[in-house]
Amino acid sequence: DSGVTQTPKHLITATGQRVTLRCSPRSGDLSVYWYQQSLDQGLQFLIQYYNGEERAKGNILERFSAQQFPDLHSELNLSSLELGDSALYFCASSHRGRGDYGYTFGSGTRLTVV
Amino acid sequence: QQQVKQSPQSLIVQKGGIPIINCAYENTAFDYFPWYQQFPGKGPALLIAIRPDVSEKKEGRFTISFNKSAKQFSLHIMDSQPGDSATYFCAASSPDSWGKLQFGAGTQVVVTP
């Protein structure tokens, strides 16, 4: 157990639907990072929050949004889902705003859009 | 655009062999280079990391070699074991990136008994 908790582990939904992925960072970590992992794109950075504020944004689609709550857990919202959104979504956390002491990843949420 | 290029895509070695994975980068602002190990169904786990002021770092059977002038770094797995079979990712970040890691495409390593 890495200490980063992601729920749900698996999610199957239809095109056009909306889902919410949840992440609880490791105790004491202030930064949360979201990554998408698909077979043909590898690990793609989506967005980072530090202590409730958005700090960095990557290739995140406009249909996707995220937030970090006062208790530091984070949610990634995916809407108007398309088949191509099927992927593993990972959350990672680190103590500081920088990841140069190493991220800790959760086990991921496998999203399947049918 | 892949900012960190990783090769090979996959490799198979016999137990005891030394798989070598190579990564190259262009952004000279990168100052932190970690390697992650991922088993099927699990999230990536930090294996070892290096900074550009060091040419080599060893942790157990894992060694990173770093060539700053060539903008390349590599992972060597000494005395590889079947339990090392996994996907390995190199990554890089810069001081101004708020910790955002740029990952290589990954290398699937299979160590046969």
Side-chain angles (χ1 to χ4, degrees):
Chain A
D1 182 10
S2 69
V4 178
T5 304
Q6 287 189 250
T7 57
K9 292 193 181 305
H10 303 277
L11 200 49
I12 301 175
T13 190
T15 55
Q17 295 298 305
R18 172 189 168 94
V19 297
T20 297
L21 313 183
R22 182 187 170 102
C23 169
S24 294
R26 200 176 48 170
S27 178
D29 285 356
L30 301 178
S31 265
V32 169
Y33 308 80
W34 286 97
Y35 280 81
Q36 180 191 57
Q37 185 177 37
S38 54
L39 283 175
D40 58 346
Q41 293 290 323
L43 278 160
Q44 298 293 317
F45 171 75
L46 295 178
I47 198 164
Q48 180 212 355
Y49 281 84
Y50 175 75
N51 204 19
E53 293 187 13
E54 181 185 308
R55 287 296 184 183
K57 213 166 186 176
N59 300 323
I60 187 167
L61 300 172
E62 286 190 9
R63 300 183 286 108
F64 296 1
S65 65
Q67 54 183 327
Q68 185 179 29
F69 295 86
D71 67 352
L72 301 178
H73 91 272
S74 178
E75 293 181 357
L76 179 66
N77 300 295
L78 315 177
S79 61
S80 302
L81 285 168
E82 301 175 358
L83 295 177
D85 297 327
S86 296
L88 268 168
Y89 291 84
F90 286 106
C91 164
S93 73
S94 70
H95 180 64
R96 294 158 53 126
R98 288 167 58 87
D100 58 353
Y101 293 91
Y103 293 168
T104 301
F105 279 87
S107 294
T109 293
R110 181 174 294 279
L111 173 67
T112 303
V113 182
V114 297
Chain B
Q1 182 184 1
Q2 198 85 30
Q3 291 201 32
V4 180
K5 296 184 178 179
Q6 183 172 347
S7 63
Q9 191 173 13
S10 63
L11 61 90
I12 302 174
V13 298
Q14 287 190 331
K15 177 182 174 182
I18 306 176
I20 300 172
I21 306 169
N22 300 299
C23 287
Y25 64 96
E26 288 297 326
N27 187 351
T28 54
F30 286 151
D31 70 342
Y32 174 70
F33 302 88
W35 285 88
Y36 283 79
Q37 179 188 54
Q38 185 178 26
F39 293 106
K42 302 291 186 182
L46 179 65
L47 195 59
I48 186 173
I50 198 168
R51 293 194 179 275
D53 54 346
V54 176
S55 61
E56 186 177 274
K57 184 174 181 179
K58 294 181 181 180
E59 283 189 10
R61 295 182 293 104
F62 299 93
T63 299
I64 300 179
S65 298
F66 190 89
N67 186 330
K68 187 175 180 179
S69 61
K71 291 185 285 186
Q72 295 176 348
F73 58 110
S74 60
L75 178 71
H76 296 60
I77 306 175
M78 306 301 183
D79 186 28
S80 60
Q81 302 296 313
D84 296 329
S85 297
T87 300
Y88 292 83
F89 293 93
C90 62
S93 71
S94 57
D96 60 347
S97 68
W98 273 94
K100 180 179 76 173
L101 284 173
Q102 298 285 351
F103 282 89
T107 297
Q108 186 174 19
V109 173
V110 174
V111 182
T112 61

